[in-house]
Amino acid sequence: MALASGVRFPARALLRPWSLLRDTTLGRSEPAAGGGGGGDGARLFGSQRVLVEPDAASGVAVMKFRNPPVNSLSLELLTELVISLEKVENDKTFRGVILTSACPRVFSAGLDLTELCGRNPAHYTEYWKAVQELWLRTYLSSLVLVAAINGACPAGGCIIALACDCRVLADNPKYHIGLNETLLGITTPFWLKDTYVNTIGHRASEQALQLGSLFPPSEALQVGLVDQVVPEDQVLSTALSEMARWLAVPDHARQLTKTMMRKATADRLLRQRDADIQNFVSFICRDSIQKSLQVYLEKLRQRKG
Ligand SMILES: CCCCCC/C=C\CC(=O)SCCNC(=O)CCNC(=O)[C@H](O)C(C)(C)COP(=O)(O)OP(=O)(O)OC[C@H]1O[C@@H](n2cnc3c(N)ncnc32)[C@H](O)[C@@H]1OP(=O)(O)O
């Protein structure tokens, strides 16, 4: 599979990449974006952890994460997301994708902590490459990406949302969004910090990153982390209206402008991908970091209700 930035996929995906995309959505499709039928289109794109509901008439696909219980970004989910996005991008019928969750109350809980704890350096290398790949694929996508954030959106969830062109958040005080890495005893890599700064500015990022702030909807709107906060049952329809606004602009002019705005940030990572991987691996392998992550994961497991 020719991927722009060279992520290594699990062996079965390399041998038969579309094995990850076999349809598992048959009989479960909901109505597609723009009111069109998901039908045959859904069969083209669905995978186990990523439901894709394409609407060829509007040129918009709704992509839903389905990795219960909390859409944590396992290697499999990261891989399927990259492949699904690539597939939609390569189909010239589509001009926009709405990213949302098929799991109740959670958009994504961020990186899968079980991928970060107790594994070996080779695993961390593969995992971090996949994280980089998803970010590059989303951040530099020529499509319009709109995040319909219908649940909690911490850390890696926020990173996916930040890579989109526009963010619509459901107005539920439990749906916090932000980069809370410091609370886990880890730090945000420079390229995600840059994305935060590009979105909410330097001072707000400096404060939010150090404090590991998770913003409730009203504050997320105020700080500029999301573009709209709407009642929960209007998240998808609002995302579709936003999409229509972005698609009203001629593609070539919008795409060139997007590239102009984002290239420097992406290039900083592209220039030093291997060093970034090495940094991540040596950081995550430290005993002290492993201990912090395990304590955090244990607290999560004990905290019920
Ligand atoms: C250089 C260092 C690396 C830098 C990397 C920087 C980039 C990103 C970092 C990350 O993304 S780290 C992940 C940070 N994520 C979080 O802090 C979120 C943690 N989760 C929650 O706050 C809550 O789970 C939720 C998302 C608000 C949902 O709450 P809810 O009450 O609905 O569900 P829970 O009961 O808490 O969880 C259910 C089940 O899922 C497990 N779980 C939750 N989050 C994760 C996760 N991120 N990874 C793995 N597993 C997760 C949780 O432990 C429960 O498991 P069980 O107890 O049922 O086994």
Side-chain angles (χ1 to χ4, degrees):
M1 157 116 318
L3 289 177
S5 31
V7 71
R8 258 186 51 223
F9 286 122
R12 79 193 146 90
L14 283 173
L15 291 171
R16 290 186 302 117
W18 306 121
S19 66
L20 289 171
L21 292 176
R22 72 186 180 284
D23 173 50
T24 55
T25 67
L26 285 177
R28 264 180 267 169
S29 311
E30 294 164 30
D40 287 340
R43 275 195 287 279
L44 280 175
F45 294 107
S47 75
Q48 190 179 337
R49 298 170 188 82
V50 181
L51 302 174
V52 183
E53 295 164 1
D55 181 42
S58 64
V60 176
V62 177
M63 202 172 275
K64 295 183 175 176
F65 319 141
R66 183 183 57 181
N67 194 23
V70 291
N71 283 330
S72 59
L73 297 169
S74 62
L75 185 57
E76 288 79 10
L77 178 57
L78 291 169
T79 305
E80 289 183 29
L81 276 168
V82 169
I83 293 176
S84 298
L85 276 165
E86 186 180 47
K87 197 144 196 269
V88 175
E89 255 178 4
N90 288 342
D91 183 334
K92 295 303 166 215
T93 319
F94 295 102
R95 298 172 62 214
V97 171
I98 291 179
L99 293 171
T100 192
S101 168
C103 294
R105 298 180 304 280
V106 183
F107 179 75
S108 166
L111 301 193
D112 189 326
L113 294 167
T114 65
E115 303 274 12
L116 301 181
C117 288
R119 308 292 194 109
N120 60 39
H123 177 81
Y124 295 137
T125 300
E126 183 176 20
Y127 184 68
W128 197 244
K129 271 188 189 167
V131 173
Q132 289 180 339
E133 184 68 34
L134 179 65
W135 181 73
L136 287 165
R137 168 90 27 204
T138 46
Y139 194 65
L140 294 177
S141 177
S142 58
L143 300 165
V144 175
L145 300 186
V146 177
I149 308 166
N150 52 350
C153 191
C158 178
I159 288 163
I160 293 178
L162 281 169
C164 292
D165 298 292
C166 172
R167 288 161 285 284
V168 178
L169 174 61
D171 193 5
N172 181 322
K174 288 189 175 162
Y175 295 173
H176 290 195
I177 180 169
L179 298 179
N180 62 332
E181 281 79 353
T182 50
L183 301 185
L184 285 73
I186 57 178
T187 53
T188 307
F190 68 88
W191 39 284
L192 299 178
K193 177 270 293 174
D194 288 346
T195 319
Y196 219 31
V197 170
N198 292 347
T199 308
I200 65 172
H202 196 280
R203 173 61 189 144
S205 297
E206 185 176 0
Q207 197 170 338
L209 283 172
Q210 289 193 52
L211 293 173
S213 306
L214 288 171
F215 298 97
S218 56
E219 289 177 28
L221 185 64
Q222 201 176 16
V223 77
L225 190 46
V226 298
D227 302 293
Q228 290 209 52
V229 170
V230 298
E232 199 153 352
D233 60 355
Q234 291 168 29
V235 171
L236 190 55
S237 58
T238 307
L240 285 164
S241 304
E242 273 293 342
M243 179 64 78
R245 207 160 70 90
W246 287 69
L247 292 183
V249 178
D251 275 343
H252 68 283
R254 184 193 54 72
Q255 285 163 353
L256 285 171
T257 305
K258 181 170 179 173
T259 304
M260 179 174 68
M261 296 301 294
R262 295 189 170 201
K263 189 172 181 306
T265 301
D267 278 352
R268 256 192 102 195
L269 172 61
L270 287 168
R271 275 197 301 271
Q272 44 189 323
R273 271 189 90 166
D274 290 342
D276 183 62
I277 291 168
Q278 278 168 26
N279 277 342
F280 170 75
V281 174
S282 65
F283 184 78
I284 210 78
C285 284
R286 285 188 206 165
D287 285 348
S288 58
I289 300 303
Q290 283 294 309
K291 233 169 244 164
S292 301
L293 289 173
Q294 268 149 13
V295 167
Y296 189 83
L297 190 53
E298 206 40 54
K299 275 192 191 147
L300 263 183
R301 286 176 173 154
Q302 282 165 8
R303 183 195 69 133
K304 288 283 167 201

